[in-house]
Amino acid sequence: MQDEGADSMKKTEIGELYKMMFADYPEIVSVSQMQDMLGISRHAAYDLVRDGSIPAIKIGTSFRILKLNIIKFIADGSAA
């Protein structure tokens, strides 16, 4: 059973991060924009999307990523 207090705290932290991080980016970004946001290579960005580390939606031949998913990835410490 998960600690509800810790869950609530995590949601609050993500909410605060969401307000501050990447304010100059739209709510849905391309892989190229995600590269810029995380300071990573094109190859690394596609690896994160393809292995599901950062959930994305495929539209035609390109991926779109919710900005929130990128912030959650960072908040979870996955980027460390």
Side-chain angles (χ1 to χ4, degrees), residues 9-73:
M9 179 65 136
K10 182 129 184 147
K11 288 179 184 175
T12 301
E13 289 173 5
I14 291 173
E16 290 302 313
L17 284 172
Y18 191 78
K19 291 176 190 172
M20 296 182 300
M21 293 181 74
F22 311 123
D24 294 339
Y25 288 90
E27 299 304 308
I28 299 172
V29 299
S30 65
V31 173
S32 177
Q33 289 169 312
M34 183 178 76
Q35 280 180 252
D36 293 338
M37 294 164 82
L38 297 177
I40 59 175
S41 70
R42 182 175 187 264
H43 184 77
Y46 276 102
D47 283 348
L48 290 172
V49 168
R50 287 190 181 118
D51 73 10
S53 295
I54 298 179
I57 299 166
K58 189 166 187 179
I59 301 174
T61 59
S62 60
F63 289 98
R64 294 293 180 254
I65 304 107
L66 290 174
K67 182 168 63 172
L68 180 61
N69 289 341
I70 298 167
I71 293 170
K72 284 181 180 178
F73 174 77

Side-chain angles (χ1 to χ4, degrees), residues 1-8:
M1 185 172 172
Q2 288 185 337
D3 182 359
E4 288 182 30
D7 247 6
S8 176

